[in-house]
Amino acid sequence: MITRLALLRRLKDELQEMGLQEEVESSYRLIAEHLYNAPFHLLYTQAHEGVTEAQIALQEHILMELRTGKPLQYILGSAYFYDRAFRVTPDTLIPRRETEELCAIVLRYLPPQISLCGLDLCTGSGCIAITLALENAHCTLEALDVSPAALAIARENAQRLKADVAFVEADLYRWEGGARCYDFIVSNPPYIPQIDGKSMSRRVYDFEPHLALFVPTKTPLLPYQRIAYLAARLLKNGGFIACEIYETLGQETAEVFRVAGLKNVSVHCDFWGKERFVLAMKE
């Protein structure tokens, strides 16, 4: 009989042989919880129980997929963001810690106990809009994306997590908004110049959607020019815009928002000390 403990040891050995370095421990925990549908801290209380053939086969399948370079989040079909599990597929970006920081910044700037209307541009999996709606019960969110496949995942996430978010399928560069104005706008748009894709991790470049990652090398500020235009039009007086940005273009991106007429433009660093966020206000 193969025990749970023996299978878990095999799993960790295989992950270490793949050379995932600092990701070994987090990958190990995620896979183990997925295999046994239980919190990690409870797994070893039943370490000597036998495992099923299906569990053995599933572990081997996950390891085989990992060897191809495929991100674990796509293999398992979920990624954690703000301590919630979001469904992700190759049609959506994998949520990252920096984007959690963007949500934290927005939440700090929201006035308490006031009904607010927000807009999330380039929503992808919906993780930003859903998180803001769940973390601040006074917020009503709309979320826009050009990809029908990504929006299907976002709607699924919102329904499962019971978040009140209205999703809109539209092209950022053609959408003009409706009659509504917003208290805040947030966006994590595509911002990596295409030329920099050559130096990226293959697990990102080969598997994550290029539509959500890259902008033309010669016009890397294009999405921010459009977002700044929309913010100047659609924000209420006193409203603000918060964007995730490319780390080497912080000051250039900030200038885009100043040119659009927005005020109090500031650049903020992420956990790693890289210029990662721009905030601006409509007077």
Side-chain angles (χ1 to χ4, degrees), residues 161-214:
L161 293 169
K162 297 179 172 58
D164 186 12
V165 179
F167 294 97
V168 178
E169 182 184 333
D171 185 339
L172 173 70
Y173 298 99
R174 297 182 179 181
W175 185 74
E176 293 288 339
R180 172 176 287 186
C181 287
Y182 302 91
D183 297 286
F184 65 95
I185 298 173
V186 61
S187 184
N188 178 21
Y191 59 68
I192 301 171
Q194 288 173 330
I195 194 170
D196 289 356
K198 298 175 182 178
S199 61
M200 293 177 68
S201 161
R202 306 320 298 176
R203 278 189 292 164
V204 176
Y205 188 84
D206 290 347
F207 292 95
E208 297 200 53
H210 287 200
L211 180 66
L213 285 172
F214 297 113

Side-chain angles (χ1 to χ4, degrees), residues 3 8 19 25 35-36 39 57 76 105 110-111 146 161 178 183 277 283:
T3 65
L8 286 171
E25 195 61 36
L35 282 170
Y36 301 106
L76 301 183
I105 289 171
L110 295 180
V146 70
L161 293 169
D183 297 286
F277 315 105
E283 285 189 339

Side-chain angles (χ1 to χ4, degrees), residues 84-95:
R84 298 181 180 94
F86 283 79
R87 176 161 153 70
V88 293
T89 74
D91 292 308
T92 65
L93 284 182
I94 297 169

Side-chain angles (χ1 to χ4, degrees), residues 8-255:
L8 286 171
R9 284 176 174 168
R10 185 189 303 174
L11 171 63
K12 195 161 194 177
D13 288 344
E14 292 274 2
L15 291 173
Q16 289 171 336
E17 287 181 12
M18 288 182 203
L20 295 179
Q21 301 169 357
E22 70 277 1
E23 297 178 37
V24 167
E25 195 61 36
S26 60
S27 298
Y28 174 59
R29 293 172 68 96
L30 287 171
I31 296 170
E33 290 179 339
H34 182 79
L35 282 170
Y36 301 106
N37 194 30
F40 186 79
H41 70 276
L42 296 180
L43 295 180
Y44 282 91
T45 63
Q46 301 169 332
H48 297 290
E49 285 192 3
V51 295
T52 66
E53 291 295 327
Q55 287 168 329
I56 295 171
L58 179 56
Q59 178 167 306
E60 288 306 310
H61 172 73
I62 292 170
L63 290 169
M64 181 179 66
E65 291 276 86
L66 280 174
R67 291 187 192 100
T68 70
K70 188 174 184 179
L72 178 61
Q73 293 88 343
Y74 289 156
I75 298 169
L76 301 183
S78 66
Y80 279 88
F81 185 86
Y82 242 82
D83 293 328
R84 298 181 180 94
F86 283 79
R87 176 161 153 70
V88 293
T89 74
D91 292 308
T92 65
L93 284 182
I94 297 169
R96 287 167 169 79
R97 175 173 181 163
E98 292 85 353
T99 310
E100 288 183 321
E101 292 182 59
L102 176 63
C103 287
I105 289 171
V106 172
L107 290 167
R108 284 201 302 270
Y109 274 78
L110 295 180
Q113 308 302 317
I114 298 175
S115 295
L116 301 164
C117 181
L119 174 66
D120 175 21
L121 297 171
C122 308
T123 194
S125 66
C127 62
I128 294 176
I130 292 167
T131 296
L132 296 177
L134 293 175
E135 292 292 320
N136 188 322
H138 302 285
C139 287
T140 300
L141 268 295
E142 292 182 15
L144 178 145
D145 204 283
V146 70
S147 167
L151 283 174
I153 299 300
R155 290 188 178 100
E156 181 183 330
N157 282 324
Q159 183 176 18
R160 181 173 48 80
L161 293 169
K162 297 179 172 58
D164 186 12
V165 179
F167 294 97
V168 178
E169 182 184 333
D171 185 339
L172 173 70
Y173 298 99
R174 297 182 179 181
W175 185 74
E176 293 288 339
R180 172 176 287 186
C181 287
Y182 302 91
D183 297 286
F184 65 95
I185 298 173
V186 61
S187 184
N188 178 21
Y191 59 68
I192 301 171
Q194 288 173 330
I195 194 170
D196 289 356
K198 298 175 182 178
S199 61
M200 293 177 68
S201 161
R202 306 320 298 176
R203 278 189 292 164
V204 176
Y205 188 84
D206 290 347
F207 292 95
E208 297 200 53
H210 287 200
L211 180 66
L213 285 172
F214 297 113
V215 289
T217 300
K218 293 183 179 180
T219 54
L221 298 177
L222 189 63
Y224 298 102
Q225 291 165 347
R226 182 63 182 178
I227 290 167
Y229 161 79
L230 290 172
R233 288 187 63 249
L234 300 177
L235 279 174
K236 298 177 183 177
N237 292 335
F240 70 92
I241 169 85
C243 287
E244 188 170 327
I245 64 173
Y246 197 46
E247 62 197 61
T248 63
L249 294 173
Q251 300 309 313
E252 293 89 340
T253 308
E255 186 61 21

